[in-house]
């Protein structure tokens, strides 16, 4: 009876096993980067970052900073340069990027210097004492504009901001489009966005003089192809760069890949400072300077027949990668290249890729890694084709879907889509998601005058990247010269110790996905053990652990690759232990099974040995092992899929190994008075092949969906035309919280195993990144009958679309009052105007305003003001916004003086928090009892003060101006009694007669 039960035991793979990681996490006992103990004498680093988007560095003076107690070193790019080489990317280019500015700064937030001090507080204090002499240059932030000849060039050695231009023809798209009866075109602008992990970047670096190498602990996620990039940049053999990762990482979603330039910089800084060095990134640094997805401008054309068959696509992309290329950039656009026709049987496609540099933070591998930008364009143009034909969008999609039974399917651009039944996924979604009910709901809502739309989206979800896809950006001749690049090696080590305990060391660096749980399920099944018998360690030590250049946690590689390596290693352990057990049980190897923690005969289950005893024999009694067998049980498996081949001579590339399928539809209602988009109903379906753990899979779907809701409705990195960064805080870069992260309808659909992975598993963590933004955009377009829909779908933007057909009413005349104050932070400047009454003669007010001692007393935070000429003053101010405060050097000049009637004041404030350039106009009118002071100003801000102040600056401006005029009244009319009247609260601060 027991034998029957054991044979019928359900495999652990496929079960909803609770995550083994959660006990430590939920109890608050997990060790993250900042929790790791550091060696005595370790210094703490803080980065001085550029307040300018584009400027030449004429000099750096750290004299005062080095005088500060506890400061051991201030290190600049020129100090680091002799110890490094430029950080390489996937193609030859003249860019000299080493993780820190040298001759120029090219984006707000670029590192300029590193302070190494006994604690972070002293290091931050020292930053304020470093003086950098900048020559400010023109900036460019639009990728299309950056390609124009008149645009300022970021890297003179490159000669252009377009560092790569490639044209790909798969089929005859030009010919088909030129001859097409029906064709359409749309231009898409996909914005910059990122993700916001709870844990920011962290590095502990130490120079090892005995070896000439470096020891690093960081929360870098891989791929470890970048390990070789770091070693080359540090001018050391890769074996001398020892990298370790902590047991836990508080999220990444791709962002921690671009930690590697900081690792290089901090390694050299440790060498120069003579101490280990620790750096934990703060939230402002993370927003301004860590990693973002490239924004993209895409023009896409489609040719189609009257019945809705789409015959060709032609698209041109402008990928905005910011100020520098950081490996593996420009990967996103090439990772998706093989899927340039998505899930459709479109036979002809032409793609033109422009890789562009702008004065923004460099980009990285944000979750979805090039997919959202591509699929947004394809699904929007498919939606437009349906509209122009008067066809149901879903019917058009279904007509063009890859048919079931045609897999593996070779897409025109090279992707070998392994498996699927897209029609069944759509059918299940329509039924379980109640599409008919949703259409009736829309019909009723529209009958009531509501703005209600339905959107659809589909996407092929790639997983386990082909390491050779980035070489597609090279020409055929360049590839032949460099040699073939392909494959994606995964590794796993499984050992059985002297007491029979099983330890698994994988090559993933998870950030909370549950990889330990899944690997334990796989190995326990293979070895007939309980889930609790398996110990999984996914910490990384490159000098001790087995790894490959493809190791790491990115692009959904775990389910296809890491699990395949684990299964292969477990099979090898099983083979060895079968041979050992067969000798003692005296049965042939094909009669042995692993079950219930036993190794036994299938035909006679009573004839068996405990798993632990067989494992122990390999350690305790090597002489009893079969002849020629090595002692101990430790198997290392390296696994690679032969389907991952190099780019062909025709630029075709199978960019990934396994391809899932996602299909979504939704209903949205839009408030016509506010533009708010309410997601009324959302349905999402995913075929991810073999489901390893349903709980983990649903968690990945919900997490990806919540992330995509942020990208769709809230998240955008905003830059002014001069490159000033405006999204530096959580008040300005909005993310969905629990209240906004609605729960979608999850469809129970087919799971078609991949024939190319060991367990049939495909990735699932990125699907909604691809489908949700364009699904919601299509719904909004349907609701408003509006084409130029861009992300994010913020209320103000949507409200503008609602009223796009109406003429804007002229601004109403402002009723003039005796005193007013208005501040506006729109466009590129902070603007304000107002007036106040000062109970003093006009000459006295003029004298007070232009006397340097009086002016120093009037200006809040002003320490001193020196007069160099009648129209030129300089001084020092200490001020800030909220908790962000700093010291600024002021340069003030007076123009168009008409004593004592009016003056134009222009000036610059320059400090560690940023730069302010502004102009103010002041007019003095004599009135009964005193002087009426009218003023207006326009201030341009950059740096930290602009990054964090978007929601605070208006209030801060009011406060500072109130303080200024209160002081003006006090200095010009010290004996004036308080005055009451309009705006009494403000007037009580200014003073005046009743």
């Amino acid at each position: 009876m027991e034998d029957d039960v054991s044979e019928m035991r359900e495999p652990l793979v496929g079960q909803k096993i609770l995550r083994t990681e959660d006990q430590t996490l939920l109890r608050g006992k997990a060790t993250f980067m900042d929790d790791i103990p550091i060696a005595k004498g370790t210094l703490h680093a803080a980065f001085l970052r550029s307040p300018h988007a584009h400027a030449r560095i004429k000099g750096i003076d750290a004299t005062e900073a080095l005088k500060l107690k506890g400061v051991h070193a201030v290190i600049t790019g020129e100090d680091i340069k002799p110890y490094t080489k430029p950080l390489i990317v996937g193609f030859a280019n003249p860019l000299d990027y080493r993780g820190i500015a040298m001759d120029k700064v090219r984006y707000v937030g670029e590192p300029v210097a590193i302070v190494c001090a006994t604690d972070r507080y002293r290091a931050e204090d020292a930053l304020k004492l470093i003086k950098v002499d900048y020559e400010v240059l023109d900036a460019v932030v639009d990728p299309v504009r950056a390609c124009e000849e008149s645009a300022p060039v970021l890297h003179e050695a490159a000669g252009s901001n377009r560092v790569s231009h490639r044209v790909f023809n798969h089929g005859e798209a030009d010919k088909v489009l030129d001859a097409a009866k029906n064709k359409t075109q749309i231009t898409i602008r996909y914005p910059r966005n990122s993700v916001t992990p709870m844990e920011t970047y962290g590095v502990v670096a130490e120079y090892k003089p005995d070896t000439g190498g470096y020891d690093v602990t960081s929360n870098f996620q891989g791929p470890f192809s970048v390990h070789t990039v770091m070693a080359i940049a540090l001018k050391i053999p890769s074996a001398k760069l020892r990298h370790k990762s902590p047991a836990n990482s508080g999220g990444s979603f791709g962002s921690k890949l671009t930690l590697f330039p900081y690792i290089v910089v901090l390694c050299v800084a440790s060498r120069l400072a003579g101490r280990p060095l620790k750096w934990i990134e703060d939230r402002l640094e993370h927003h301004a300077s860590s990693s973002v997805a490239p924004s993209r401008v895409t023009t896409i054309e489609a040719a189609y027949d009257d019945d809705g068959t789409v015959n060709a696509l032609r698209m041109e992309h402008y990928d905005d990668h910011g100020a520098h290329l950081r490996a593996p950039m420009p990967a996103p656009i090439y990772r998706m290249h093989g899927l340039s026709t998505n899930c459709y049987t479109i036979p002809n496609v032409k793609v033109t890729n422009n890789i562009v540099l702008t004065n923004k933070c460099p980009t990285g591998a944000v979750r979805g890694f090039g997919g959202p930008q591509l699929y947004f364009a394809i699904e929007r143009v498919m939606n437009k084709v349906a509209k122009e034909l008067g066809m149901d969008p879903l019917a058009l999609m279904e007509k063009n879907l890859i048919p079931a039974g045609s897999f593996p399917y070779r897409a025109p651009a090279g992707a070998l889509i392994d498996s699927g039944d897209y029609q069944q996924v759509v059918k299940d979604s329509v039924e379980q998601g109640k599409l008919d009910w949703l259409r009736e709901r829309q019909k009723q809502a529209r009958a009531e005058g509501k703005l209600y739309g339905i959107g659809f989206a589909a996407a092929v979800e790639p997983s386990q990247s082909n390491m050779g896809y980035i070489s597609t950006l090279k020409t055929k001749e360049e590839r032949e010269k460099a040699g073939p690049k392909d494959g994606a090696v995964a590794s796993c080590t499984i050992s059985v110790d002297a007491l029979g305990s099983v330890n698994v060391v994988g090559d993933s660096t998870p950030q909370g996905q549950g990889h330990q749980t899944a690997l334990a399920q796989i190995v326990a099944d293979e070895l007939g053990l309980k889930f609790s018998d398996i110990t999984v360690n996914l910490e990384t030590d490159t000098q001790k652990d087995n790894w490959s250049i493809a190791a790491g946690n990115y692009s959904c590689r775990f389910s296809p690759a890491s699990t395949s390596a684990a299964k292969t290693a477990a099979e090898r352990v099983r083979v060895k232990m079968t041979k050992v057990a067969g000798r003692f049980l005296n049965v042939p190897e094909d009669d042995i099974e692993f079950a219930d923690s036993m190794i036994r005969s299938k035909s006679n289950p009573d004839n068996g040995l405990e798993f632990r005893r067989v494992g122990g024999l390999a350690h305790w009694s090597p002489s009893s092992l079969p002849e020629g067998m090595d002692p101990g049980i430790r198997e290392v498996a390296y696994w690679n899929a032969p389907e991952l081949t190099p780019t062909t001579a025709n630029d075709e590339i199978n960019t990934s190994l396994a391809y899932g399928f996602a299909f979504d539809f939704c209903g949205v209602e839009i408030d016509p008075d506010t533009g708010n988009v309410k997601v009324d109903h959302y349905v999402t379906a995913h075929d991810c092949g073999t489901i390893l753990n349903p709980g983990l899979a649903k968690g990945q779907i919900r997490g990806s969906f919540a992330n995509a809701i942020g990208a769709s409705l809230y998240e955008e990195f905003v830059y002014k035309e001069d490159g000033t960064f405006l999204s530096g805080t959580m008040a300005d870069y909005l993310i969905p919280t629990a209240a906004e992260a609605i729960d979608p309808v999850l469809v129970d659909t087919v799971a078609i195993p991949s024939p190319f992975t060991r367990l049939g598993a495909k990735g699932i963590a990125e699907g909604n990144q691809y489908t949700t933004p364009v699904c919601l955009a299509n719904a909004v377009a349907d609701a408003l009958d509006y084409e130029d829909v861009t992300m994010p779908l913020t209320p103000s933007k949507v409200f503008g679309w609602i009223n796009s057909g109406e003429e804007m009413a002229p601004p109403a005349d402002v009723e003039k009052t005796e005193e007013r104050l208005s501040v506006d932070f729109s466009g590129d400047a902070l603007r304000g105007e107002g007036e106040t009454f000062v109970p003093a003669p006009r000459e006295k007010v003029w004298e007070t305003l232009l006397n340097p001692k009086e002016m120093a007393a009037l200006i809040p935070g002003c320490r001193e003001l020196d007069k160099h000429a009648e129209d030129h003053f300089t001084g020092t101010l200490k001020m800030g916004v909220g908790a962000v405060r700093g010291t600024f050097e002021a340069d003030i000049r007076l123009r168009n003086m008409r004593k004592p009637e009016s003056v134009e004041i222009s000036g610059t404030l320059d400090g560690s928090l940023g730069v302010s350039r502004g102009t103010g106009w002041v007019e003095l009118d004599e009135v009964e009892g005193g002087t009426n002071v009218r003023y207006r100003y326009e201030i341009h801000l950059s740096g930290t003060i602009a990054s964090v102040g978007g929601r605070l600056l208006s209030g801060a401006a009011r406060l500072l101006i109130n303080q200024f005029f209160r002081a003006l009244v006090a200095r010009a009319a010290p004996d004036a009694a308080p005055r009451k009247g309009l705006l009494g609260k403000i007037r009580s601060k200014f003073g005046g007669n009743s």
Side-chain angles (χ1 to χ4, degrees):
M1 188 67 178
E2 291 180 1
D3 179 41
D4 293 339
V5 172
S6 67
E7 289 184 358
M8 294 173 61
R9 191 196 81 167
E10 185 179 358
L12 292 171
V13 170
Q15 289 191 47
K16 185 180 178 180
I17 305 293
L18 293 179
R19 298 184 353 150
T20 187
E21 300 93 335
D22 286 350
Q23 288 299 315
T24 302
L25 293 169
L26 294 174
R27 295 171 189 270
K29 301 296 184 181
T31 300
F32 294 90
M33 188 62 214
D34 200 26
D35 301 321
I36 298 174
I38 55 178
K40 184 178 180 180
T42 298
L43 300 176
H44 293 259
F47 284 92
L48 179 69
R49 296 180 180 274
S50 168
H52 301 288
H54 199 193
R56 205 172 305 283
I57 300 174
K58 299 174 70 176
I60 301 176
D61 184 358
T63 305
E64 296 301 316
L66 289 167
K67 293 178 182 177
L68 196 65
K69 183 179 179 181
V71 173
H72 284 246
V74 176
I75 295 162
T76 68
E78 290 302 316
D79 298 324
I80 284 173
K81 188 174 182 178
Y83 300 92
T84 59
K85 293 180 179 180
L87 290 156
I88 61 173
V89 293
F91 68 105
N93 64 82
L95 307 182
D96 188 350
Y97 173 58
R98 308 186 190 219
I100 187 170
M102 291 181 290
D103 58 328
K104 288 170 67 176
V105 293
R106 295 176 173 89
Y107 67 97
V108 172
E110 182 164 15
V112 175
I114 312 159
V115 174
C116 307
T118 52
D119 58 62
R120 181 65 177 260
Y121 301 98
R122 286 181 172 84
E124 293 280 357
D125 288 343
L127 293 180
K128 302 171 186 176
L129 302 177
I130 301 173
K131 295 182 178 180
V132 184
D133 185 7
Y134 292 107
E135 177 190 343
V136 179
L137 306 171
D138 290 338
V140 61
V141 295
D142 180 83
V144 178
R145 161 84 177 96
C147 294
E148 297 175 0
E149 290 186 7
S150 60
V153 176
L154 275 70
H155 297 264
E156 287 81 358
S160 170
N161 297 320
R162 181 170 14 208
V163 292
S164 175
H165 174 79
R166 292 278 281 121
V167 180
F168 302 91
N169 280 291
H170 305 292
E172 298 181 318
D174 283 339
K175 181 179 178 181
V176 173
L177 276 155
D178 291 344
K181 170 189 172 185
N182 305 315
K183 54 186 173 184
T184 191
Q185 176 180 306
I186 192 170
T187 296
I188 301 296
R189 284 186 169 269
Y190 200 93
R192 284 186 156 221
N193 54 36
S194 187
V195 287
T196 310
M198 289 188 289
E199 181 191 43
T200 56
Y201 290 0
V203 178
V204 177
E206 181 179 6
Y207 175 62
K208 308 297 286 186
D210 53 333
T211 65
Y214 301 92
D215 274 11
V216 176
T217 302
S218 85
N219 47 21
F220 172 71
Q221 70 175 75
F224 278 81
S225 55
V226 180
H227 188 275
T228 61
V229 173
M230 290 187 283
I232 291 170
L234 289 167
K235 301 198 287 192
I236 59 173
S238 58
K240 291 189 177 183
L241 175 59
R242 182 181 187 181
H243 186 275
K244 295 173 284 185
S245 64
N248 297 282
S249 178
S252 171
F253 315 103
S255 66
K256 285 171 183 166
L257 164 58
T258 44
L259 176 57
F260 73 90
Y262 289 102
I263 293 175
V264 170
V265 169
L266 291 166
C267 279
V268 177
S270 168
R271 179 175 188 168
L272 296 175
R275 300 271 198 94
L277 196 58
K278 178 177 181 177
W279 172 65
I280 301 295
E281 180 188 51
D282 67 34
R283 186 60 64 181
L284 174 60
E285 290 180 295
H286 188 79
H287 275 286
S289 312
S290 61
S291 181
V292 297
S295 55
R296 182 179 297 176
V297 178
T298 297
T299 297
I300 182 169
E301 301 170 83
Y304 56 93
D305 295 335
D306 291 339
D307 66 353
T309 301
V310 179
N311 300 310
L313 294 177
R314 181 165 58 200
M315 60 189 88
E316 181 165 17
H317 305 295
Y318 288 83
D319 245 25
D320 177 1
H321 284 277
H324 305 282
L325 287 179
R326 303 188 293 198
M329 298 300 103
I333 201 166
Y334 286 99
R335 173 184 176 244
M336 301 302 298
H337 180 77
L339 292 167
S340 293
T341 48
N342 195 4
C343 51
Y344 303 115
T345 55
I346 303 172
N348 305 287
V349 61
K350 178 180 180 180
V351 180
T352 301
N353 290 341
N354 299 287
I355 305 304
V356 186
L357 302 182
T358 62
N359 292 109
K360 302 176 187 173
C361 171
T363 58
V366 173
R367 190 174 190 173
F369 207 21
Q373 297 90 333
L374 174 67
Y375 291 147
F376 195 96
I378 294 175
E379 293 300 283
R380 285 294 293 128
V381 82
M382 294 293 284
N383 194 79
K384 188 177 181 185
V385 169
K387 182 179 179 181
E388 292 184 356
L389 286 171
M391 190 173 179
D392 176 40
L394 179 56
L396 181 105
M397 293 169 70
E398 289 184 292
K399 185 169 189 63
N400 290 279
L401 285 176
I402 299 169
S406 58
F407 297 94
Y409 174 86
R410 180 73 72 176
L416 183 62
I417 304 176
D418 54 325
S419 60
D421 187 340
Y422 299 170
Q423 288 75 16
Q424 187 62 48
V425 174
V426 172
K427 183 174 182 292
D428 291 340
S429 301
V430 167
E431 292 176 355
Q432 296 177 37
K434 301 179 181 179
L435 178 59
D436 290 341
W437 166 83
L438 184 62
R439 292 193 192 277
E440 285 299 318
R441 186 173 178 83
Q442 180 190 40
K443 185 177 179 181
Q444 181 180 349
R446 289 185 169 181
E448 296 171 358
K450 296 179 180 178
L451 298 173
Y452 199 104
I454 295 176
F456 301 90
V460 177
E461 181 173 4
S463 50
Q464 192 186 358
S465 294
N466 183 346
M467 297 301 286
Y469 71 79
I470 191 65
S471 66
T472 308
L473 68 83
K474 297 179 179 179
T475 64
K476 173 178 175 288
E477 293 72 24
E478 289 171 332
R479 290 195 296 269
E480 290 175 348
K481 183 177 180 180
K485 301 290 189 300
D486 59 87
V489 177
S491 65
C492 183
T493 302
I494 300 178
S495 56
V496 182
D497 68 16
L499 296 178
S501 296
V502 177
N503 189 66
V504 180
V505 178
D507 71 345
S508 177
T509 52
Q511 294 101 29
Q513 295 93 333
H515 291 178
Q516 292 97 318
T517 300
L519 290 180
Q521 290 176 261
I522 293 166
V523 175
D525 274 350
E526 193 64 37
L527 300 181
L529 300 174
K530 294 181 292 186
F531 175 78
S532 57
D533 291 335
I534 311 299
T535 299
V536 180
N537 188 317
L538 296 180
E539 298 173 57
T540 301
D541 185 333
T542 58
Q543 283 190 350
K544 296 172 62 179
D545 299 327
N546 295 294
W547 58 279
S548 72
I549 60 170
N553 180 33
Y554 59 95
S555 300
C556 287
R557 73 177 291 270
F558 175 78
S559 292
S562 297
T563 62
S564 292
K567 182 171 177 61
T568 302
E571 287 174 342
R572 293 178 181 175
V573 169
R574 182 180 177 121
V575 167
K576 185 169 186 176
M577 294 185 74
T578 295
K579 294 181 182 296
V580 175
R583 182 173 185 181
F584 284 88
L585 299 177
N586 197 29
V587 295
E589 293 177 15
D590 60 5
D591 187 39
I592 288 179
E593 67 176 2
F594 287 61
D596 300 328
S597 301
M598 299 286 293
I599 304 177
R600 63 195 184 193
S601 168
K602 294 178 185 177
S603 57
N604 179 17
D606 291 333
N607 180 22
L609 292 169
E610 291 181 275
F611 180 93
R612 65 178 182 84
R613 288 197 59 193
V614 178
L617 279 170
H619 295 273
W620 297 108
S621 181
S623 62
S624 62
L625 299 179
E627 185 176 352
M629 179 177 286
D630 293 333
I633 299 177
R634 180 183 177 90
E635 294 295 330
V636 179
Y638 287 92
W639 183 85
N640 179 61
E643 293 79 13
L644 296 177
T645 53
T647 305
T648 69
N650 295 324
D651 294 322
E652 297 158 351
I653 179 67
N654 183 27
T655 50
S656 299
L657 176 64
Y659 298 90
F661 178 67
F663 173 75
D664 293 7
F665 68 86
C666 69
V668 304
E669 183 178 342
I670 301 173
D671 186 330
D673 297 323
T674 65
N676 184 63
V677 177
K678 175 189 175 185
V679 182
D680 185 50
H681 185 68
Y682 201 99
V683 178
T684 184
H686 300 262
D687 168 18
C688 62
T690 301
I691 297 176
L692 304 174
N693 183 316
L696 298 182
K698 289 180 180 179
Q700 289 298 317
I701 293 171
R702 288 191 171 99
S704 179
F705 178 71
N707 200 169
I709 284 289
S712 303
L713 301 180
Y714 308 108
E715 301 183 38
E716 182 179 16
F717 283 92
V718 179
Y719 290 82
K720 287 167 42 176
E721 286 300 311
D722 66 356
T724 297
F725 179 57
L726 300 177
S727 305
T729 72
M730 293 295 193
D732 299 285
Y733 186 81
L734 304 181
I735 62 172
T737 65
E740 291 81 24
I742 62 173
D743 199 16
V745 176
L746 303 184
V747 176
D748 183 12
T749 189
V750 295
I752 310 296
S754 171
F756 302 151
T757 68
R758 292 298 318 276
L759 289 105
K762 314 170 190 176
I764 197 175
E766 296 178 346
N768 285 103
Q769 304 299 117
Y770 307 140
T771 52
T772 298
V774 69
C775 186
L776 290 173
N778 281 337
V780 168
D782 181 49
L784 303 182
D785 192 22
Y786 186 81
E787 179 178 295
D788 191 18
V789 176
T790 56
M791 312 303 293
L793 302 165
T794 57
S796 60
K797 190 186 296 183
V798 175
F799 182 79
W801 299 336
I802 294 171
N803 297 283
S804 60
E806 301 178 7
E807 291 188 11
M808 297 297 292
D813 290 337
V814 178
E815 181 182 351
K816 291 194 174 183
T817 62
E818 190 176 355
E819 182 177 317
R820 71 182 190 277
L821 175 64
S822 66
V823 181
D824 173 41
F825 191 54
S826 61
D828 289 340
L830 174 66
R831 301 177 182 87
E833 61 178 19
E835 60 184 65
T836 192
F837 174 78
V838 181
R842 184 164 61 171
E843 288 77 7
K844 176 64 174 176
V845 177
W846 179 272
E847 179 184 338
T848 303
L849 280 173
L850 300 188
N851 183 298
K853 291 184 179 180
E854 296 287 349
M855 191 181 294
L858 291 175
I859 300 174
C862 186
R863 293 179 176 177
E864 58 182 343
L865 204 62
D866 297 323
K867 183 175 182 179
H868 299 276
E870 286 297 319
D871 60 353
H872 186 199
F873 302 85
T874 61
T876 304
L877 285 76
K878 188 172 184 179
M879 57 190 301
V881 177
V884 182
R885 309 190 65 81
T887 301
F888 296 83
E889 298 298 323
D891 188 289
I892 302 170
R893 297 181 185 271
L894 308 180
R895 296 185 175 90
N896 300 321
M897 286 192 292
R898 294 173 59 196
K899 183 180 180 179
E901 298 176 2
S902 63
V903 63
E904 177 184 330
I905 306 172
S906 63
T908 300
L909 296 179
D910 196 340
S912 60
L913 291 180
V915 176
S916 168
R917 286 179 168 76
T919 301
W921 296 266
V922 179
E923 295 180 5
L924 308 180
D925 292 332
E926 282 193 78
V927 296
E928 183 179 352
T931 304
N932 206 45
V933 182
R934 292 198 307 273
Y935 57 89
R936 58 189 175 90
Y937 57 86
E938 183 174 292
I939 303 172
H940 295 262
L941 300 160
S942 66
T944 303
I945 201 76
S947 300
V948 305
R951 304 232 172 186
L952 298 174
L953 284 169
S954 294
R958 286 188 174 92
L959 177 62
L960 292 173
I961 292 168
N962 286 345
Q963 292 175 351
F964 179 89
F965 283 106
R966 186 168 65 243
L968 175 61
V969 171
R971 305 290 292 194
D975 299 326
R979 172 180 175 176
K980 295 182 180 180
L982 293 174
L983 305 177
K985 290 184 179 180
I986 297 178
R987 210 177 263 128
S988 66
K989 297 179 180 179
F990 291 134
N993 295 325
S994 58

